Structures are given as C-alpha cells and as structure tokens.
Amino acid sequence: MADVKKTTPSVPEDPNALRWGFTPQSENWNGRFAMIGFLSAVALEVFSGQGILHFWGIL
C-alpha cells in the first residue's frame, strides 16, 4: 500500500457547475429547468384558467 499514488481529478467536482455533455452536473441543471417549466405551466393554468395550448391560441 505504500506505493499507491493518490490522484486528484483534473476538474473539480462542483455539483452546480455548468458542463456540456452527459455529466451529473448537466443532469442536475436539466432537472432544475424541468421543475421550473412544470411549475410555470401549472401556475399559468391556475391564474389564467386556461391550459398552455389554449393560452397561446394553439387550440
């Protein structure tokens, strides 16, 4: 065990860092943006009385 090298990652693992690709950080941000979008759609429906598609005039 004396000759085992300790390595450090070249990029620090910051869970809030913005990184491109399929990384845990990008999946965290994707989930956050999805929650914001879902809550925005629910709030729009509650306050306007119409669904998203009716609100935009699509249906």
Side-chain angles (χ1 to χ4, degrees), residues 10 14 25 46:
S10 61
D14 181 13
Q25 293 85 2
V46 167

Side-chain angles (χ1 to χ4, degrees), residues 19-27 30:
R19 293 201 186 5
W20 295 102
F22 295 105
T23 63
Q25 293 85 2
S26 63
E27 293 300 319
N30 186 24

Side-chain angles (χ1 to χ4, degrees), residues 2-59:
D3 59 343
V4 175
K5 291 183 181 179
K6 291 189 177 186
T7 59
T8 58
S10 61
V11 178
E13 293 296 322
D14 181 13
N16 291 323
L18 286 173
R19 293 201 186 5
W20 295 102
F22 295 105
T23 63
Q25 293 85 2
S26 63
E27 293 300 319
N28 284 342
W29 281 104
N30 186 24
R32 290 172 184 162
F33 289 136
M35 287 185 276
I36 290 171
F38 181 75
L39 288 177
S40 298
V42 169
L44 180 81
E45 188 167 345
V46 167
F47 291 119
S48 72
Q50 302 174 349
I52 284 253
L53 298 178
H54 284 104
F55 183 79
W56 284 346
I58 296 174
L59 288 178

